[in-house]
Amino acid sequence: MLDSRAARLSGYWLAFLKELGAESVLPALSAAEALALGQQSLEGEPVTVQLALGRILSLEHPDLVVVPEWPTVSGDAWGEALTELLPRRISGLPPLVSVPDASHKSTETAATELGLRLTHNAGQVRLALDKVRPLLSAPRSSLPNLSRASQATVAVIGPRTLLNEDALAAGLRPALEALELYPVFSTQLPLPDIVQRAERMENAAKVPAGERELFGAASLIAGKSAVRGLILVSPARDRATAAALERLAQKMHKPTLLLSADGGQTEWPELPPFSRRLTPSPSATDET
């Protein structure tokens, strides 16, 4: 479920480090194995944090680890300071550097700072930035197909740190399709449109970026006639995101279901009753 924007930014940082002459080391374990490792070390914490930690622990003696920032919600201590909190909880971690995934300007600023830290050579950094700049250019995108024959469309709204990870959220799509529901994930929506719609949020400038993104995605797709209902999904044990989605659910005017997703989860007992709300049986329709 990795969206094109996440893949593009990941490729940007890898390419930038390569241009600097730095050797990039990727996690040695699969996502599922990294998650299991992180769960052993941080039991009871949000599943997204456990996965991030597992990937860091699976690296073989890196000098420095580049960690993409997360769009945060209100009260999300992990999202606001992941690279600061992890070394406090787990000793012996390598140096962690947080880098943004927000805008062209902030990404290049962070890349410049990281490049100077690694090379102490401003000229080399400028050349590297020039070569990888095209990777930040966002391709034009549009709304995905919102309907599928004989299936009810549901919008699945959640943080990218969850929905972009097959190790965490891959079970959602088959679970929905087994109920003849057609899921459209918020990670499939054009981010510029999401950001623009988020400006309609009350006191938007004071709301954390992750919460604006969730609101923008839900607001953008909920008004489409093809969409019968919304599923708002948070990472397991992530109370801050769950609370943000609860606030979002109160603003929706279509059937809405709150879920959480854990690593490897494939079943949600809440889904069949929700499906019946969206696709009533012929007998129930006749009675009304």
Side-chain angles (χ1 to χ4, degrees):
M1 278 185 258
L2 186 69
D3 66 349
S4 60
R5 182 170 180 270
R8 186 174 69 255
L9 284 164
S10 174
Y12 172 86
W13 287 107
L14 289 173
F16 177 66
L17 292 171
K18 182 179 179 180
E19 291 295 337
L20 291 178
E23 181 181 357
S24 298
V25 180
L26 298 176
L29 301 179
S30 69
E33 293 169 330
L35 176 59
L37 182 59
Q39 288 173 330
Q40 294 173 9
S41 303
L42 279 180
E43 185 178 358
E45 296 297 343
V47 67
T48 46
V49 176
Q50 294 171 334
L51 177 57
L53 174 63
R55 283 174 166 157
I56 293 170
L57 292 175
S58 71
L59 295 168
E60 297 182 357
H61 310 295
D63 297 316
L64 179 144
V65 179
V66 176
V67 182
E69 291 177 356
W70 296 352
T72 62
V73 299
S74 299
D76 181 10
W78 280 112
E80 292 171 356
L82 180 69
T83 55
E84 298 175 18
L85 293 178
L86 279 179
R88 297 178 188 175
R89 295 287 299 273
I90 307 296
S91 60
L93 292 181
L96 308 178
V97 175
S98 179
V99 296
D101 74 344
S103 68
H104 188 285
K105 181 178 179 180
S106 63
T107 300
E108 284 211 344
T109 299
T112 301
E113 294 174 354
L114 177 60
L116 291 174
R117 175 175 177 174
L118 293 174
T119 67
H120 305 287
N121 186 326
Q124 183 181 1
V125 172
R126 283 195 298 270
L127 288 174
L129 289 172
D130 290 341
K131 289 184 178 180
V132 300
R133 188 169 291 119
L135 295 176
L136 286 179
S137 300
R140 286 189 175 184
S141 57
S142 58
L143 285 174
N145 179 33
L146 297 182
S147 62
R148 181 180 290 175
S150 73
Q151 293 185 342
T153 300
V154 292
V156 182
I157 310 297
R160 283 181 278 129
T161 50
L162 172 68
L163 297 185
N164 277 338
E165 295 288 353
D166 283 346
L168 306 183
L172 272 171
R173 185 179 295 277
L176 292 167
E177 291 180 343
L179 296 169
E180 297 188 345
L181 298 176
Y182 171 51
V184 177
F185 289 83
S186 53
T187 48
Q188 296 175 256
L189 305 179
L191 189 63
D193 293 356
I194 291 175
V195 172
Q196 185 177 15
R197 186 58 66 97
E199 295 174 358
R200 303 182 185 183
M201 194 174 190
E202 185 177 359
N203 296 320
K206 298 181 180 179
V207 178
E211 203 154 341
R212 291 198 306 271
E213 189 172 314
L214 293 171
F215 172 87
S219 177
L220 177 64
I221 198 170
K224 305 300 181 183
S225 59
V227 176
R228 299 276 191 89
L230 296 94
I231 296 174
L232 310 182
V233 56
S234 60
R237 298 173 295 281
D238 186 340
R239 291 184 291 274
T241 300
L245 291 174
E246 287 177 8
R247 293 190 291 272
L248 178 58
Q250 296 171 6
K251 297 179 171 68
M252 297 295 104
H253 302 292
K254 288 186 176 179
T256 303
L257 176 66
L258 291 161
L259 289 182
S260 69
D262 207 346
Q265 186 171 354
T266 58
E267 296 182 356
W268 288 264
E270 306 95 330
L271 285 178
F274 184 67
S275 174
R276 290 191 290 271
R277 288 177 61 193
L278 303 182
T279 55
S281 65
S283 58
T285 303
D286 293 341
E287 292 175 2
T288 58

